Structures are given as C-alpha cells and as structure tokens.
Amino acid sequence: MASMPTDTQSTTSELLSHYVSVRRFSQLLCEPLEIEDFVVQSMPDASPIRWHLAHTTWFFETFVLRPFAPNYQPIEPLYEYLFNSYYNGVGQQFPRAKRGLLTRPSVADIYLYRQTVDNQIQRLISQADDPLLQEITPLVELGLQHEQQHQELMLTDLKHVFAQNPLYPIYQEVPRIEPPLVPEQTWHRFEGGVVEIGHAGESFAYDNETPRHEALIHPFEIAGRLVTNVEMLEFMEDGGYHRPELWLSLGWNQLQTGDWSSPLYWVHEEDGWYEFTLGGLVPLSMAAPVTHISYFEADAFARWKECRLPTEFEWELASQSVPIEGNFVSSHHFHPASAQTSDGLRQMFGDTWQWTASPYAPYPGYRPAEGAIGEYNGKFMCNQYVLRGGSCATSRSHIRRTYRNFFPPEARWQFTGIRLAR
Amino acid sequence: MASMPTDTQSTTSELLSHYVSVRRFSQLLCEPLEIEDFVVQSMPDASPIRWHLAHTTWFFETFVLRPFAPNYQPIEPLYEYLFNSYYNGVGQQFPRAKRGLLTRPSVADIYLYRQTVDNQIQRLISQADDPLLQEITPLVELGLQHEQQHQELMLTDLKHVFAQNPLYPIYQEVPRIEPPLVPEQTWHRFEGGVVEIGHAGESFAYDNETPRHEALIHPFEIAGRLVTNVEMLEFMEDGGYHRPELWLSLGWNQLQTGDWSSPLYWVHEEDGWYEFTLGGLVPLSMAAPVTHISYFEADAFARWKECRLPTEFEWELASQSVPIEGNFVSSHHFHPASAQTSDGLRQMFGDTWQWTASPYAPYPGYRPAEGAIGEYNGKFMCNQYVLRGGSCATSRSHIRRTYRNFFPPEARWQFTGIRLAR
Amino acid sequence: MASMPTDTQSTTSELLSHYVSVRRFSQLLCEPLEIEDFVVQSMPDASPIRWHLAHTTWFFETFVLRPFAPNYQPIEPLYEYLFNSYYNGVGQQFPRAKRGLLTRPSVADIYLYRQTVDNQIQRLISQADDPLLQEITPLVELGLQHEQQHQELMLTDLKHVFAQNPLYPIYQEVPRIEPPLVPEQTWHRFEGGVVEIGHAGESFAYDNETPRHEALIHPFEIAGRLVTNVEMLEFMEDGGYHRPELWLSLGWNQLQTGDWSSPLYWVHEEDGWYEFTLGGLVPLSMAAPVTHISYFEADAFARWKECRLPTEFEWELASQSVPIEGNFVSSHHFHPASAQTSDGLRQMFGDTWQWTASPYAPYPGYRPAEGAIGEYNGKFMCNQYVLRGGSCATSRSHIRRTYRNFFPPEARWQFTGIRLAR
Amino acid sequence: MASMPTDTQSTTSELLSHYVSVRRFSQLLCEPLEIEDFVVQSMPDASPIRWHLAHTTWFFETFVLRPFAPNYQPIEPLYEYLFNSYYNGVGQQFPRAKRGLLTRPSVADIYLYRQTVDNQIQRLISQADDPLLQEITPLVELGLQHEQQHQELMLTDLKHVFAQNPLYPIYQEVPRIEPPLVPEQTWHRFEGGVVEIGHAGESFAYDNETPRHEALIHPFEIAGRLVTNVEMLEFMEDGGYHRPELWLSLGWNQLQTGDWSSPLYWVHEEDGWYEFTLGGLVPLSMAAPVTHISYFEADAFARWKECRLPTEFEWELASQSVPIEGNFVSSHHFHPASAQTSDGLRQMFGDTWQWTASPYAPYPGYRPAEGAIGEYNGKFMCNQYVLRGGSCATSRSHIRRTYRNFFPPEARWQFTGIRLAR
C-alpha cells in the first residue's frame, strides 16, 4: 500500500492522464489475443486474462467508487464476490483455483465493466474538491500500480497457458536479434557499512518498502551482468540437476516431484535446445539471460559457481550506482535480452527479476495500512523470497530501487533470473 | 461399433443426407453460446465444447478419410494427437484432464476443420463405387452415431460448466410449463422366461448390443413412470441422505466425500428448492422426474421405497410393449418433463436415462470389432452400470430398445433418473 | 450372514468345540510373529494383526454377548468404537486408514480381551437353554466363519507388511518342493442349460449365496488347471504389460499409475525372477500357479490367450463334478502349489482364489439380514468381482461350492489366480 | 556440525563418560514403553521410536566406525540404507514416509545394534592415539549432540502417536502441581546497536551458529515470561481463530485446511478444556505456557496483542542477561511449567521453544562442513523459522544461547511457545 503523500503534487489532470494510460495499456496487451485466450487458467497460481481485466477494475470499484462515489450503483453486485482476489476484509471470494471454470461475464461484458468504472473514476477525479482529491489520489495511484503488477502477470500467465499447447501459439512475433558473443562477467565491490534501506519521500511506494531504516551490510562483490543461458547449460552438463549436494533440501524434493531437468519452457529437440517465448518456440540464445528459474535453481547454480545470491540490501545498495534503465515491457521484446559488453554494472533493471537470498520479511517497524488495503503485502511475508529489479514484462514507471517483489522459492513462471554475489 | 450390414440399403443420397443433418445439428446446438463457453472443462469427466466439435470431426478424419480418401492431407497433423479421445490403436492422446487448458485451434479454426472434413467426406461418399460404399457406410454411420452421443455430452458438459457460475447463465430460455398434478404410479407385470435379448438384424447397433442371445428372466413388475422430484423430497425429508443403511458402502463414502445431500443442481434458497437447468435456475417442479442422480442415489431411493431397480433385461423386455416415443432433444425442452396421466407404461424413452441394476458386462459371445474401432465399447466394461431409454438430450434417431448406455455409479452430470421394479 | 437353521443339529458340545478350535487357530497363526509385526497397517485396505485379533473378538462381543449375555459388562467400552469395522448400525468407527496408528491396547491386552470374551461365550453356550441356543447358534457360527475370513486376511495383510521391508522377513520357512514339469492344460466341456445356482439346505452359508435360483448357462469349456507362472512370463515376454489393446481401460490406467509390470511380489534380480512368499524371497517356480494378480491382469491374460474368464455360474456348475479338496491353509504351505499331472479338473479348490467374469451382484430375490448383521455382504455389491474356490490361506471348513468371495478389480494382495474358460 | 576444536580438552575418559551417559539416556526414555509403541509413525514428519534408536546408532557407525575403525564389519549392511535419514552423500535412503511400515529389525535387534556399535565406539576411543582422537572427538561429540536432538524428537513423536489414540495412553504419570496465579507479564528494554551474534570459542556448536558476526539491532522490549494458556483462551474467546486479519495468508489457509481452532492437543470436554500431555489427558493449566502452537499461531497471537515476535538476534542479546537454567528434560516433568513470580526475565531456557520472527537463513559467510556431514544444517535453510531457548524435552547440556532450532511455520508437534516483543 502507498505511503500516503500528505501534500500531493499530482494535479487532477496528471492523475487523469496517468489513469487513462495505465488502464489503456492493459487492453493494449490483449490486442493480439483470441477470445478463447482470455478464459483459461493453466494452474492455480495463474489467472485467466478475463479475470485480470475484471479484478483490476474491481479494485477501483471497491476501494475508490464504493467509499467515495456518491450513490454508487454497481453494474453487477456479484462482481464483488467474483473478482475479489484475497481481501477478506471485503468479503468472501470465488475460489481462486476455479477462476478458469467461468465463462461469464463474457470478455465483452468485462470490457463494458471496465468502461463503466473508468467513466465513473474519471468523473469522480474531475469533480473532486481538494480534500477529496487528497484522499482518493493515493488510492487511485495504488490501483494503477496494482494494475501494472497485473499487466506483468497477464503476460506470464498467458505464456503459461500457451506453453501447455503442443501447437506453441505465438503471442507476438518478435524479431530475432542475432545473439552477440556472451559478454564477459565482471565483479563490483561495495564496502557496505550501516546504510539506509527502504523508501523515503513523498512519491509512491508500497508499504513493504517502508519504513526506511538502517541496516548493516558487510563488504561484498556483485556480478556485473545476469547469468546467461550458456552458463546454465554448463551447469546442466556438469550434472547440476542430478547432484543433491548443490540443492536445498526442499529444492531437491521439488526437482524430483516436478521432474525438473532444465529451466521451465526449455524444450529439447533433435537439433538442440529451444525455448518457448511469447514469440513462439525459438532456438535457445546462448548470450541471453537464463529465465523462468526458481529460487532453488538460482541458489543451486550459485553454489555450483562457488558464489551466492546477493541479499536484498546488497542489491539495493549496488543499485544506487546505476540509473533505472533497461529492457522493460515498453521494448515490446517480451523476453530478456543479452547484456551489453561493458565493464559496468549492467542489467540491474529490466530483463529478469533477480532472486535475492533474502526471505520476504517486514522491515523493522513495518505497519500495514488500516483496513482491507492492508492485506496488499503484509500477510504474504512468509515462505517467499525477495526479487529485485523488474523484468522485460515490467513497466518502467512501476519499478523503484526499493521495490520488493516476492515469490515462493518454487515459482518459475515469472521472468526470473540470477545475479551472483560473493 | 456397428454390426456391419453386408447388404446396405442406404443409397448414397440417404447417407449424404443423414451425414449433413447430424453434422449440422452439432453446430445448431452451439448457436446460443458465446466463444468463451466453448473453452472450459469443468471436471476431468467432461470436455470443452470446442473439443467435442473437433473430436467428432477427428473421428471421420481418422476412420474414414485417412484409410479411404486418396492422397488425404490432414489440415493439421497435430490434430491426430490433440483430438484423439482414448484410441490407443491410433496413437498417443493429449491428456484428457488438460483439454480445458488449450485455447487454440480457436473455435473458428475448428469450424474450418469441420468444414474441410465435411467437404471431403461428402466428396468421398459421392464418388464412391459400390464396394467402397459397402466399406465406408458402416464407418460413416458409426461416426454419426458417435457424434450424436457427443451432442448429448455437449449439453450435459455445458450445463456442468454453467453450474459452476454463481451468475447461473442461461443456455436457452425454456417456457415453464405449469406442472400438473403428480401422476399416480402404476405397476406392470411381466412373466419373463427365456427371452431373446440384444440387437438383431441389419440396421445399425453398437457392438455392445450383440450378440443377440437367450436370457432367463424371472417374473417381475416394473413402474409405470419415472420417480418424481416430490418423491425425492420425501426421501430427503425422511433422512434419506443421512441413513447409511439405505446405501451401498461405496455410495455412502461418496456421499460423504462429495458432501451430497440432494441431487446435483438442486439449490436451496430461502423460499424453497430450485433446480439449475439449461433454462437457468428455476423453482423445482414437483411433478417432473428427478434427474442428475447417481446410481448410488437411485439404488438408495429404491431400497427406501422397498423396491429395486430393474435389470437391463427386464427393462428391455418391458420396452417391447411400447413405441419409441418421448421427450427427446428435438423437443428443445432440454429438461425432463412430467409423465402423462394414464395407466400405461410411460416415459420408457426420453426424459431421463434409467439406471438399471445391471453392471455393464459383455453379452455371452461378445467380440469387439478389429482394430482401433474395437476400443469403442468393450474396454469400458468394468465398474459401470447400464442405463436404458435415452433422455431429453438424446436424439430420437439415436435410441433403440437394445441400446446400452453406461456410466460409473457415481456419475451425476448426465440426465439420469429412476424407474422402479419389484 | 447365515441362513438360520430352524432346527439346529449342532449340539452344545459341537458348537463349543468348533468355537474353541477356530478361535485357537487365529492365535496359532500368530505364533511365528514378533510383537512389532502385530502393529503395522501397510495400506488402507489392510489391517494390523492386532486389529484382526480384536475385531473378530468384538464381533462376538457385539452380536452375541451384548444382546444375549445377562448383565454383560464390556472390558473396555471404547473397544466398541475402536474395533468396529464398518457396521454403521452399531455406531461410529475409528477411521479405517488409521488403524496402524494405534499401539494400545497392547497385544497382551488384546489377548486378554480375547480370553475374557471367549470365557463368556463359552459360559453362555454351556448354560443356554434350547430356545436361546437356537437364537445364538447361527450368530456364533457366523462369528466363526467371519473369523476364518480374517485368518486369511491376517496372512495376506502380514505378507503385505513384510513385503515393504528390504530385509524380506520370513513368516515361516517352507520346504521348497522341487517344481515338477508344468502339467499340460486340459479342457472340460459343460452343456449348461437352466441350472440351480446358490446355497440350499440347512447348513451355514452367507446370505449372498442365497436365494437358490435358476440361471441359464450357455455351453462352455473350462480349463483343467490354473494358469502357471511360466505362462505369465510368456505373457510378459510378449509385451503383455505394454499392450493397451489387451486391457480394460481402467486396468490400463491402473497399470500406469501403479507402475505394474509383473504380478505383485515378483522381484527381478540379476539372476532371474524371484517371488516374495511367506517363506521369504524364493526363486520363481515355473510350474506353480501365478498369484497376487488383479482382475485386470487375469482379464488381460485371458484375452491374450484368446480365452476368457468363466462366469461364477459356469464355475459353480463345473465345481459340482469334483470333490472339495486341495491345498488349503492346513497344508501349512502358505503358497499355491503346482497342479498334479492328470487329465481331470484340478485345483478347483485351494491354491488361489479364481477371478470370475461376474460382477458381484445380488441374486434375484436377495435380501440381507435385518439389523447391523445385514451389513455383512449386501452393501458391498458394487464395483467388485466374484472369486471362487478358496486359496492356500483358506480353511477347508470355510469353503463351499456356492461360496462367493469378492474384491475390487485392482486388488492384488490376496492369493488370487486365473482359471480360463472359452 | 561441530566447529572443530583444534586443541581438545576432552580427555579420553571424559569423552567415554559423555558417550555412555547420552547413549544410555535414549534407552532410559524408552523404559515406560511397550514394544508396540516403538513401531508407529503417526505422520511423515515424525518417526518411529525404533527408527530413532537405530538412526542415532547409524550416525556413529557411518561417520565414525566406517571411516576410522580398522576392518569394520557392519552387523547388517542394509542398515546403511534403512537408517539413513537424509544424507545423500552417504547414499539412497529408505523412504521417510514409510518408516512406520517396517517391523524388522525388531526392537531387540536394534538394542543389539546399539550395543554392538557402542562397544566398538568405546573400544575405538579407548585405543585411539592423540591424532586419531583429535579427528574423531568432534565427530563423536556431533553424534552425541545429534542423539540429544533425537531424544527430544522421541518424546514429541511418541506424544503425537499417543494423541491419535482415543484411550489417551500415559507415558509417565506426572504429579499435577496446583497452578499458581498467572504471574504478571513484565517488559525488559534493550538498546541494541551493533552487536556480536553467533558462536565463538572452542566448545561445541553446530555450524549454523557460525560464523560469529556483527549485526545491527534496533532498540526493543522483550516480555519477561512466556504467553500462558489463559492468554491463549482470551485470544480464542475474542475470535482469534476466526479473524483472517490476524493471520498470515499461509497461516489462514493452513488453519482452514487443518481445521484448527485451538492449539494442538487441546481437547474440549463438557466440563471445559483439557490438554493431552505425556502424563495423559489433564485439565488445562491456566498459568502454564501455551505450547504446541505453530509459527502462524504465535504470529497471530502477537498481532492480536499488538506486539510482535522477537528476532533471533534480539532474543540472543536478551539471553545474555540470564543464566542457562530452566525446566529441561532432566526435571522429568515432560511439560512446560508456569513461570515464577518475579520481575526478571524468566523462562528464557527450557519450558518451550520460542518462535522468533527470523526466517532460518545462513549467517554472513556461513559454510557447511565438507562431505555428507555438511548436510546436517545448511540444506534446510528455506521456509523455516528459527526457535530459541530449548524446551522441557531438551537436555540442559544440549542448549546454548547461540543455539538455532528451526521448524516450518506450520509445525505444531514440538514443545513450541510464544515470547512477545515490541
């Protein structure tokens, strides 16, 4: 949840413009789809596209329109139940694992739902006086950040659906850039000490990035680029997926029950390795960063390399030395790209989320927001690991140096990757 | 599989006309649907509508076009794998439980597949000389009977999908006929003896209806109409779902694990019982036959009534006294209707499939057809019960007195009902 | 349940003597065991030995002492709950799958329980006047037949426990009889017709063997001996476990999920096939009957041989031509032995239970007994198959030509085998 | 794993004496048991007593005798496989979840195994020259610490077995001390700062307590005693188990799937709350510390109290202010006891393990030992939480201020409890 700016700089028109552009982007992402593609839920962790489109709308309806729009009449009262994700404070939820069993409201009806809510949000913002604007701006902003998260999930959930299909559907043809030589790895030393960690200031951040606090960081070195596919192949050829001594115990169990022997979406054909991407099944690029790997694989790879994963504090400290630039969703590449050849710290942002060694835990003095909004982050602080830096499916405007993404250690369907430390 | 007529009376034009009308009816049934409705598989036993449309087409492609059409080129080679249901003799099958994870080929592509195969089947029939016609006619006929079975499944699978949705979608508005008084039950005695059972003659029948053979039937009485909803309510009010002494042991386990306390699709609202139908959620009709019940419920109800279910041989013998008439799919009612008031044997055909006490087993001397076609029936003769008579979702032209439908005793999503015997 | 003799010939002393000898035999079977061996439940279908010893005692306590012994005081009231198997009419049951989690009452306490109940049963019988004796004799007789069934289960459940252990414990050393040549198969023709089936007369039989009734049997041939291990090996070498066309659909699924590629308890070592027996792991005897196979395997083997399994009526008719003799538990061989070389019908009794093609269903006019005793047989008449003839773990005094044993088609831990028909 | 003392002060006789006393204590704990009690595994997380006795022996055989005893001949080669817990470096393991299916080797055989290994270990130590003693002492010491951990598990696993039994077996009668008034809670402030954390020095510690390193601790207050049963009742009466806003998301799921509405082993009878203890079922003591609660419950309780759990570093810092004294296993109470009335920091050691807010993670610079011994701790550093302080089932000689115990957040069968911080 947002740290609430007490003195907002967003003018009404800035807020409206931000609202329109984020909301429109969700629909832009759906343009290549057939109606059939909106319906399927390929695993309980993922959701159908139609659900994402409706749920993000539900968020504005629930947290902005219902409390603040005068005489608000919902388009369909059951949507409160159908499109609630996990907010117990709002009420019961349609069971998560059954989202893919629903065919109605149709996609057309959900677009109508979006349009109706958009109209009313825009009217509410336009007509709001200053005190109301103060109150709703952080909620609208939170809704937009929330929608950006779901835009990333739409791409990764869709990819997971398409990957079930032996026809290997193509979301969007992506020009194959001939991979350059694999750029050399470099190492970058930081001295650490007692440093400030977490979000400060008036701009938007989730509550889990706060409060800003001091942390003690020991000296460390961090790798200059992400681990590449060719390095992952070396790991595999060295028996990486068959050597229990490299793995956490839970990881080794998971590898066996899940029958893992390569990153997710890798396909071995007679003429070598391929990778399923949003551009279809393509030959594996050696120079590109490895992606769709779990924390377990990241950790095992690091152990094999006699390195380790960075802590989230180390990462945050290192990130302060580089600008927030990279291969984000706006590149329309929808896949991580190989690092540039340079001796600097590269790929800190975009390309792939970087697993850190840090379990997802509250910062000292952390307090979730009051009410249902407080369920946004805090209640998930258990059995997950922090990832940093964003990915090729993240919006540039969504990411921050203090941004803490989190997934369970077995999750592989996000654009996740590895940066080493030592 | 068909008993092969050695001297076919079907002329080419009759076969073509039958082909066109059955194939067209599948698509007619889909007219009320949204594209979203074609995609979902609500349980492993059911299949998405898009799959039914493709699989029935695959049947003609696999068993008619591939072996008999000169230089046949499939529209997409992977369809052989994607749309094979369970024919190991044809090859591997895409996993049944994952049929609902596919979004492509799209519905439009599947209609194109149907059109392409239809064109070639029609050309093949039109151009066939007599020997070829002799050979393909029983296969085409089998494919059409097969498609009629899937037409019934399309309606029941769709109903199951819609029933997952708290919005209770309506497939087609059905005029509510004000239920008459519940017609009196009547009893009809048959003396039995050694009687001929099973299909004879040249006309089409599945292989499981053969060979015709003698069976010994002891004297019995059979009920004049199906058990009604009001009788089922009496059973429930008498604690029927809470009295283990009424149930088979497996049924009692199933009742507990499935949390059964009424027939499937019954919904208790504040003002009484409702039933989800293809016409939406409607107040329960007292006079209509109870439907969507398992063998376990049919058996428990019969025990409670101090009756029993008829054997399939008793049913077949009794059926010979009445014409094949009833509430079939052509009524477009899509739901069982109450019996007429008369003292005759009523509702032997249409309305609901009637559970018999007979485990599904081969007739003495039974032999499945050679090759993959032989997988149609025989391999399912285990842990299932025979149902007789067809339902409100069956085509009149599909049913016979000797017709043996079969489902596991826990199945409830078909239009199944109860006729008593004693 | 017993058909109640209205005029019992059993004198008090005969009943007492029968009681003592059957009860003693349960404990005799336990003599080779360590205390540890009484505790384990290796799968939900099986039960710990300590449970069998207590449950058979509970049966007498519940159905004889509680209703008939004046002022009966149970040794421990909770035993009614702990040792009830599935009699809902008696009350709740401790969950079946958790029987192996209990360590108390200890084995010593259970022997004490047995002794206490035995004393009181013997006193009750001794002191009963004629009318009471009339009433309790069939119940005592039923309890003894029941205990004999559990004696067989004790051996098969124990074998299943021992088979989990890589140390291959030995229940009792059995002298290895050098296997003779495999005796030739013979075929025996019966003309059938309308014949009487089921139990008649005053002697004990379970209710599922009644009523005696007429059945129509078509002419058939039945094999002269059981199928041998060497024949099963031929089936395996011909790809029997890898050819779906030989299997029922449920059988093929089961084979895959259970990873079946040979009969249960067969172990392949470097120097060939071994079989785990109650005498330990021994080289597979080629001439001995194959055992520990499911209905699915029996059915697939028969199909491969271009034969079929006999119906239970065919078996019963054929059995009338031979005396009830064979390798029963009294041989202390605890394993099926090879057939004698002769041209007669052999091994109809003892050695292995013989799967029939008959689903377990009630005979026409069947009625279970009143009250909880009626739960003995009738409620299991669903999704099981009838087996006939007894096994090397059955007591001679327990078996009859009309005896109907029944197990689900996937069950393999009993001494089950194959006799062919055609 | 042990930090290896380079200059051991243990003389041979001290080591022998320590060895004998620890090994003897395992058997002492078993004296109240029946043979049946050694066999059962009541859940996959727990192990049978017979397995604990054998596995701890296996540890000495594998890590001391095999590498160091000249011409060592194992008593039974298969024990290496049967009694390996999770050391992939040693070889395959008998499946953990099936430990309760084995009945052999018998308990007597396992005692023989213990005796045989003990003899050889004692001979090896007695005859070792100085360099060998240097080498084996830390391994023997590790084996003894390991056995002490299993002694605690024997008590908690046995309690879990007994708790399955409606007869509520008693391990050992414990005199009921009339509970005093609930002692007042007190709060103790620490200023924190950059402090040294972890084990230092030559004495034994597990590898996960090293390396000693600096950590930054913010000022905090810690509660003077453990949370009591009466406080837990207040939480329950305030709807604690029914208010999702108090729970972590995973905890709420767990509560629902596990049907949790009180701590484990609490039993509600007509006349109030009881608790199953190793002394049987006894009325709940209001003043005693709540125990057998998961991390989820500890965390939810803390949130309800508007407090939090301490971090493991806070706990370690606070622990330095008090001596290592408390209600350990040597009290033979086998249950936590109520705190003394005082205004000091109490119950820091013994009574119950104290859940901390710290995910179990490696200390900066942590390195597991080389070889299979390195699997002792490191590979479990995922999805677990650190507990501190020992319990009423821990040996005093086993615990340290730096000791890090760890369990998954859902684990409840250990003697776990709550100390609050803020």
Side-chain angles (χ1 to χ4, degrees), chain A residues 32-37 39-42 76 78-79 81-82 94 98 100-108 161-162 164-167 169, chain B residues 32-37 39-42 76 78-79 81-82 94 98 100-108 161-162 164-167 169:
Chain A
L33 302 186
E34 303 283 351
I35 293 291
E36 291 87 340
D37 302 327
V39 180
V40 170
Q41 177 178 38
S42 54
E76 165 56 65
L78 266 172
Y79 290 180
Y81 165 69
L82 283 176
F94 185 79
K98 297 190 167 184
L101 303 188
L102 302 186
T103 64
R104 313 286 180 93
S106 66
V107 173
V161 169
F162 278 2
Q164 311 304 312
N165 196 327
L167 295 168
Chain B
L33 302 186
E34 303 284 350
I35 293 291
E36 291 87 340
D37 302 328
V39 180
V40 169
Q41 177 178 38
S42 54
E76 164 56 63
L78 265 172
Y79 289 0
Y81 165 69
L82 283 177
F94 185 78
K98 296 190 168 185
L101 302 188
L102 301 186
T103 64
R104 313 286 181 94
S106 66
V107 173
V161 169
F162 278 3
Q164 310 304 312
N165 196 328
L167 295 168

Side-chain angles (χ1 to χ4, degrees), chain C residues 34-37 39-42 76 78 81-82 94 100-107 161-162 164-167, chain D residues 34-37 39-42 76 78 81-82 94 100-107 162 164-167:
Chain C
E34 303 284 349
I35 294 291
E36 292 86 340
D37 302 328
V39 180
V40 169
Q41 177 178 38
S42 54
E76 164 56 64
L78 266 172
Y81 165 69
L82 282 177
F94 185 78
L101 303 187
L102 301 186
T103 64
R104 313 286 180 94
S106 66
V107 173
V161 169
F162 278 1
Q164 311 304 312
N165 195 328
L167 294 168
Chain D
E34 303 283 349
I35 293 291
E36 292 87 339
D37 302 327
V39 180
V40 169
Q41 177 178 38
S42 53
E76 164 57 64
L78 265 172
Y81 165 69
L82 283 176
F94 185 78
L101 303 187
L102 301 186
T103 64
R104 314 285 181 93
S106 66
V107 173
F162 278 2
Q164 310 304 312
N165 196 328
L167 295 169

Side-chain angles (χ1 to χ4, degrees), chain A residues 5 8-13 15-16 68 121 124-140:
Chain A
T8 177
Q9 279 104 39
S10 303
T11 66
T12 297
S13 70
L15 187 60
L16 281 172
F68 297 107
I121 288 283
L124 182 70
I125 294 172
S126 304
Q127 298 173 353
D129 57 13
D130 229 49
L132 179 60
L133 205 59
Q134 292 276 358
E135 213 167 0
I136 64 172
T137 296
L139 291 164
V140 171

Side-chain angles (χ1 to χ4, degrees), chain B residues 342-403:
Chain B
S342 104
D343 56 7
L345 193 52
R346 291 147 289 158
Q347 297 179 310
M348 286 294 281
F349 297 98
D351 286 315
T352 72
W353 288 100
Q354 296 155 55
W355 285 109
T356 75
S358 300
Y360 181 46
Y363 285 173
Y366 168 73
R367 282 190 174 278
E370 292 291 313
I373 283 286
E375 299 183 54
Y376 201 104
N377 276 309
K379 73 181 184 182
F380 301 109
M381 291 176 173
C382 181
N383 291 8
Q384 310 217 39
Y385 281 83
V386 174
L387 300 106
R388 295 292 195 119
S391 83
C392 59
T394 311
S395 287
R396 164 64 190 88
S397 64
H398 184 66
I399 204 71
R400 289 172 294 283
R401 288 187 180 85
T402 58
Y403 193 104

Side-chain angles (χ1 to χ4, degrees), chain B residues 25-50:
Chain B
F25 189 61
S26 296
Q27 295 174 211
L28 189 72
L29 287 175
C30 295
E31 280 181 9
L33 302 186
E34 303 284 350
I35 293 291
E36 291 87 340
D37 302 328
F38 289 78
V39 180
V40 169
Q41 177 178 38
S42 54
M43 60 173 173
D45 283 343
S47 294
I49 303 300
R50 55 181 287 290

Side-chain angles (χ1 to χ4, degrees), chain B residues 135-332:
Chain B
E135 212 167 1
I136 64 173
T137 296
L139 292 164
V140 171
E141 183 62 31
L142 179 63
L144 295 173
Q145 297 277 342
H146 171 257
E147 183 137 357
Q148 287 181 314
Q149 286 187 285
H150 279 275
Q151 287 161 0
E152 179 149 4
L153 291 172
M154 284 162 66
L155 289 169
T156 54
D157 290 359
L158 180 77
K159 185 171 181 176
H160 196 264
V161 169
F162 278 3
Q164 310 304 312
N165 196 328
L167 295 168
Y168 293 121
I170 292 170
Y171 168 68
Q172 199 170 277
E173 294 280 359
V174 176
R176 291 277 299 160
I177 300 145
E178 196 49 34
L181 293 180
V182 178
E184 287 291 303
Q185 187 58 289
T186 56
W187 290 92
H188 305 266
R189 182 173 173 88
F190 292 84
E191 293 307 321
V194 173
V195 301
E196 298 269 316
I197 290 293
H199 181 74
E202 298 288 297
S203 61
F204 178 85
Y206 288 119
D207 60 2
N208 65 4
E209 303 168 49
T210 66
R212 188 161 172 91
H213 66 285
E214 291 189 332
L216 177 63
I217 301 178
H218 300 276
F220 67 98
E221 290 189 340
I222 197 163
R225 61 156 172 77
L226 300 176
V227 169
T228 58
N229 284 328
V230 72
E231 288 170 302
M232 194 67 193
L233 269 177
E234 288 162 13
F235 171 77
M236 287 161 62
E237 283 158 11
D238 196 35
Y241 281 90
H242 303 93
R243 291 169 53 187
E245 73 272 19
L246 296 173
W247 295 77
L248 287 164
S249 178
L250 286 180
W252 186 246
N253 293 349
Q254 175 64 51
L255 173 157
Q256 293 183 300
T257 57
D259 208 15
W260 290 359
S261 56
S262 73
L264 184 64
Y265 301 144
W266 285 30
V267 177
H268 199 258
E269 302 273 347
E270 277 182 21
D271 60 345
W273 283 102
Y274 285 71
E275 186 177 17
F276 181 64
T277 72
L278 283 166
L281 191 70
V282 299
L284 189 69
S285 159
M286 293 300 143
V290 64
T291 190
H292 298 299
I293 47 120
S294 64
Y295 175 81
F296 295 129
E297 287 157 300
D299 173 78
F301 180 90
R303 188 166 296 119
W304 174 75
K305 271 288 197 192
E306 297 182 348
C307 295
R308 59 176 178 83
L309 302 177
T311 68
E312 62 166 325
F313 295 165
E314 290 169 344
W315 189 96
E316 188 167 324
L317 177 59
S319 78
Q320 291 164 7
S321 64
V322 293
I324 305 183
E325 293 169 359
N327 172 21
F328 291 112
V329 69
S330 53
S331 77
H332 286 251

Side-chain angles (χ1 to χ4, degrees), chain D residues 360-421:
Chain D
Y360 182 44
Y363 285 172
Y366 167 73
R367 281 188 174 278
E370 292 292 312
I373 284 286
E375 298 184 56
Y376 202 105
N377 278 307
K379 73 181 185 181
F380 301 109
M381 291 177 172
C382 181
N383 291 8
Q384 310 217 38
Y385 281 84
V386 174
L387 299 106
R388 294 292 194 119
S391 83
C392 58
T394 310
S395 287
R396 164 64 190 85
S397 66
H398 185 65
I399 204 71
R400 290 172 294 283
R401 289 187 179 85
T402 58
Y403 194 104
R404 307 173 81 198
N405 198 357
F406 49 92
F407 278 94
E410 68 275 15
R412 310 211 296 175
W413 90 111
Q414 297 302 302
F415 286 103
T416 46
I418 314 172
R419 180 180 304 275
L420 297 173

